[in-house]
Amino acid sequence: GAGVSQSPSNKVTEKGKDVELRCDPISGHTALYWYRQSLGQGLEFLIYFQGNSAPDKSGLPSDRFSAERTGGSVSTLTIQRTQQEDSAVYLCASSFEVVEDSNTEAFFGQGTRLTVV
Amino acid sequence: GIQVEQSPPDLILQEGANSTLRCNFSDSVNNLQWFHQNPWGQLINLFYIPSGTKQNGRLSATTVATERYSLLYISSSQTTDSGVYFCAVEWDDYKLSFGAGTTVTVRA
């Protein structure tokens, strides 16, 4: 697509429920990132996918968080047993393959605003 | 990890004024981007500027990688320039590390 697409735009869920957030990257982009922005805060790295390489999950805050990327394109971020502190905007970004001297400009989707009540 | 510091944290401008936002980073970086987060939360790409100077309309940016800083210039500010400006640096091959942002308010 023309830009990074995320769905849903907003999600309100009850504490303890599982949620799935979807990201559709820019066509041709092999790198995909998830970030989290809590209220009034900067962006926190969560996870990174690059082609068929093993993802970098070092930013995931707990084992309730997981993500997958099917077919090197669409990615799903899953949060199990949601807690109120999970409330935030979850942002997805994509870029061309990260190699030396390449243009790795990242483009972000509009985000999913998650509210856990 | 790398530290990214932005200043000032808040900036209030009268429409038509010029301003400079600064981004300092603590280590060598591969790349640097400036973003504008609009009131709806969308991150808009402003500049991809690992070094040198670029201009886009009323905005321009300069990165001096050897001295580990970047500057974003806003000239003849408009109310639509309001929002949060983020600097993000790429380190560790691919991770983007963000500063805390500068909140700009432009008053008519």
Side-chain angles (χ1 to χ4, degrees), chain B residues 24-103:
Chain B
N24 292 333
F25 41 97
S26 61
D27 205 341
S28 300
V29 299
N30 300 321
N31 292 305
L32 185 145
Q33 290 186 240
W34 282 97
F35 296 91
H36 175 215
Q37 189 167 43
N38 64 22
W40 297 271
Q42 177 76 51
L43 278 171
I44 308 298
N45 290 42
L46 296 179
F47 294 101
Y48 176 79
I49 186 167
S51 63
T53 297
K54 290 185 177 180
Q55 180 151 10
N56 184 1
R58 295 181 296 101
L59 301 181
S60 64
T62 295
T63 296
V64 184
T66 53
E67 296 186 22
R68 299 180 184 169
Y69 74 88
S70 183
L71 303 173
L72 178 69
Y73 306 95
I74 306 174
S75 64
S76 304
S77 57
Q78 301 178 359
T79 56
T80 51
D81 295 332
S82 296
V84 184
Y85 290 80
F86 287 105
C87 165
V89 300
E90 181 188 311
W91 66 287
D92 198 13
D93 290 333
Y94 49 80
K95 293 176 185 174
L96 274 178
S97 184
F98 283 77
T102 293
T103 301

